[in-house]
């Protein structure tokens, strides 16, 4: 990435202010605790605000607070992925998410809403009610649930502009713009800063420095594992490796992540020219460890690795590559040779200004447990084995 493009990246008009970064980060924590947050959005130029609580950690106390905000005339809506709605009897629609509203508040409780949101559970029937499209604010709330690594399902009630101000002040609830939520990942990546580094000799590469990068809002750190002393005036050999607790740490045979990580370190060390493994905190293609375990449970029922993610309400791949591009830029590398079988990683890096001069194949034998997984990556995700 050239100096001029680096400046552009830092001043991208799509970035949200640093104060909003912190607000979104706090809202993520609130959502994980089962707290209510307020989201502002616009539909066809008209304001549409909602009070939101995540379906996964929903308690009866939290639901009652939400109902108190709504008043006795308004039942809460549960926003669900289309695939889950279809399994619950909704007629097919193209919208990725839809909302279900029961005929009355007394028809649902927190446990029932949690069951409705959980795609691993088979339900006999829903309470009486109707389906409707979701608003921009509710769509942003789903994005927030994904950032929290929760199931992408939320419970909402409408909030007027006057209510919004009162609730924020009287109950100390966070207020977020939908644009801030939707722009969070890019803005967080652009705010990454180096916070520490240390020499860490490894089994297959003794001359290694690990550099940690942290975003301004204090979110998850990404790591650069720098092997030897790669030159900055020619393409550097790198691997983008998404965190995988099961494969990297405990040796799971369901994926090829462990062999890919250790193989990349070994290959870079043997090259004699050095290189970098960027260890990105994007477990389970960006859905988080808990949801990855849920996806594994669905795979045991016959879903492939991509369909399992989508059955949970996520995209087949939720990863973003701006963090990797920003780390490379700050370390002074403009051009790379990329160890990968995934063409999406090439386009992902190049879209943020990094020149990929060569794709270096990075293949490992299957083990009997991951043959279907690898075949799916080849047939459906276009991996180049």
């Amino acid at each position: 990435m050239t100096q001029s493009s680096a400046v552009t990246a830092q001043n991208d008009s799509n970035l949200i202010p640093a104060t909003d970064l912190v607000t979104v980060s706090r809202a993520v924590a609130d959502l994980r605790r089962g707290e209510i947050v307020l989201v502002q959005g616009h539909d066809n130029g008209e304001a549409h605000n909602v009070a939101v609580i995540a379906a996964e950690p929903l308690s009866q106390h939290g639901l009652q607070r939400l109902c108190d905000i709504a008043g006795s005339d308004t039942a809460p809506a549960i926003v669900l992925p289309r695939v889950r709605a279809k399994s619950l009897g909704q007629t097919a629609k193209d919208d990725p998410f839809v909302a279900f509203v029961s005929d009355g508040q007394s028809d649902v409780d927190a446990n029932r809403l949690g069951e409705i949101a959980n795609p691993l559970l088979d339900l006999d029937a829903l309470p009486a009610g109707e389906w409707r499209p979701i608003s921009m604010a509710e769509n942003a709330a789903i994005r927030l649930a994904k950032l929290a690594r929760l199931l992408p399902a939320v419970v909402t009630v409408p909030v007027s502009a006057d209510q919004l101000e009162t609730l924020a002040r009287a109950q100390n609830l966070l207020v977020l713009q939908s644009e801030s939520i939707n722009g969070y990942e890019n803005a967080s990546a652009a705010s990454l800063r180096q916070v520490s580094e240390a020499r860490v000799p490894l089994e297959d590469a003794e001359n290694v420095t690990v550099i940690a990068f942290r975003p301004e809002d204090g979110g998850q750190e990404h790591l650069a594992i720098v092997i030897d002393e790669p030159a900055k005036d020619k393409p550097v050999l790198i691997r983008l490796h998404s965190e995988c607790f099961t494969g990297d740490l405990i040796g799971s045979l369901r994926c090829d992540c462990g062999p890919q990580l250790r193989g990349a370190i070994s290959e870079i060390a043997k090259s004699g020219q050095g290189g970098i493994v960027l260890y990105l905190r994007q477990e389970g293609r960006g859905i988080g460890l808990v949801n990855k375990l849920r996806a594994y449970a669905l795979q045991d029922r016959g879903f492939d690795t991509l369909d399992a993610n989508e059955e949970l309400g996520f995209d087949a791949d939720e990863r973003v590559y701006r963090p990797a591009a920003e780390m490379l830029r700050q370390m002074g590398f403009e051009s790379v040779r990329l160890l990968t079988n995934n063409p999406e990683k090439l386009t992902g890096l190049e879209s943020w200004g990094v020149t990929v001069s060569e794709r270096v194949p990075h293949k490992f034998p299957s083990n009997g447990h991951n043959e279907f997984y690898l075949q799916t990556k080849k047939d459906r995700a276009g991996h180049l084995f």
Side-chain angles (χ1 to χ4, degrees), residues 36-59:
I36 295 171
V37 299
L38 306 172
V39 180
Q40 294 180 289
H42 292 82
D43 295 278
N44 300 318
E46 293 187 10
H48 185 102
N49 312 315
V50 291
V52 176
I53 197 164
E56 183 179 334
L58 182 64
S59 66

Side-chain angles (χ1 to χ4, degrees), residues 20-317:
D20 278 355
L21 268 180
V22 174
T23 302
V24 175
S25 182
R26 287 177 57 198
V28 163
D30 281 357
L31 219 61
R32 288 175 64 88
R33 288 195 300 269
E35 295 290 335
I36 295 171
V37 299
L38 306 172
V39 180
Q40 294 180 289
H42 292 82
D43 295 278
N44 300 318
E46 293 187 10
H48 185 102
N49 312 315
V50 291
V52 176
I53 197 164
E56 183 179 334
L58 182 64
S59 66
Q60 193 60 35
H61 173 70
L63 179 60
Q64 186 58 55
R65 287 181 63 202
L66 202 68
C67 290
D68 289 343
I69 290 172
S72 59
D73 295 333
T74 304
I78 182 165
V79 179
L80 298 168
R82 177 185 59 205
V83 288
R84 179 57 173 166
K86 185 176 180 180
S87 73
L88 295 171
Q90 185 228 14
T91 55
K93 291 183 180 295
D94 293 332
D95 298 332
F97 289 85
V98 292
F100 175 78
V101 185
S102 70
D103 285 345
Q105 289 186 2
S106 60
D107 293 336
V108 292
D109 61 19
N111 288 335
R112 184 60 169 166
L113 288 173
E115 292 171 350
I116 291 172
N118 189 346
L120 277 75
L121 298 179
D122 295 324
L123 301 183
D124 294 332
L126 288 175
E130 63 179 6
W131 297 94
R132 64 161 174 79
I134 67 171
S135 67
M136 292 296 293
E138 287 171 324
N139 186 67
I142 287 291
R143 183 72 240 161
L144 193 64
K146 287 185 176 184
L147 291 173
R149 302 298 188 255
L150 298 169
L151 284 173
V154 295
V155 183
T156 72
V157 295
V159 175
S160 68
D162 290 341
Q163 270 187 299
L164 197 75
E165 184 176 344
T166 301
L167 289 167
R169 183 174 60 252
Q171 298 191 27
N172 197 30
L173 299 181
L174 291 174
V175 181
L176 300 93
Q177 299 287 338
S178 59
E179 294 84 356
S180 293
I181 297 171
N182 295 331
Y184 171 81
E185 286 182 301
N186 280 338
S188 179
S191 77
L192 283 171
R193 296 294 180 268
Q194 182 178 331
V195 291
S196 67
E197 68 174 87
R199 187 179 66 86
V200 185
L202 305 178
E203 289 182 355
D204 295 323
E206 292 192 11
N207 185 18
V208 172
T209 299
V210 177
I211 305 173
F213 293 80
R214 180 186 295 147
E216 284 184 5
D217 66 312
Q220 288 190 324
E221 294 89 0
H222 301 284
L223 303 175
I225 304 169
V226 183
I227 300 164
D228 297 325
E229 297 181 5
K232 297 180 180 180
D233 60 351
K234 59 183 179 181
V236 59
L237 183 61
I238 73 164
R239 163 79 183 161
L240 304 187
H241 189 87
S242 299
E243 175 185 39
C244 179
F245 167 82
T246 48
D248 298 342
L249 190 60
I250 61 175
S252 169
L253 299 178
R254 296 188 72 137
C255 63
D256 56 346
C257 299
Q260 287 199 48
L261 175 61
R262 291 181 287 276
I265 292 170
S266 177
E267 185 167 348
I268 291 172
K270 291 176 181 177
S271 73
Q273 298 179 344
I276 306 168
V277 174
L278 297 178
Y279 197 80
L280 306 173
R281 303 293 297 278
Q282 300 184 135
E283 179 96 35
R285 298 195 194 94
I287 70 174
L289 177 58
V290 171
N291 287 315
K292 184 174 81 171
L293 295 177
R294 290 176 173 135
Y296 280 172
L298 289 171
Q299 289 172 38
D300 288 341
R301 299 181 187 181
F303 292 92
D304 68 30
T305 181
L306 303 182
D307 283 340
N309 279 21
E310 292 176 345
E311 191 73 11
L312 291 172
F314 296 95
D315 293 338
D317 194 331

Side-chain angles (χ1 to χ4, degrees), residues 331-342:
M331 290 188 291
F333 296 98
E334 300 179 359
S335 179
V336 302
R337 299 170 57 232
L338 184 59
L339 277 163
T340 190
N341 307 314
N342 184 358

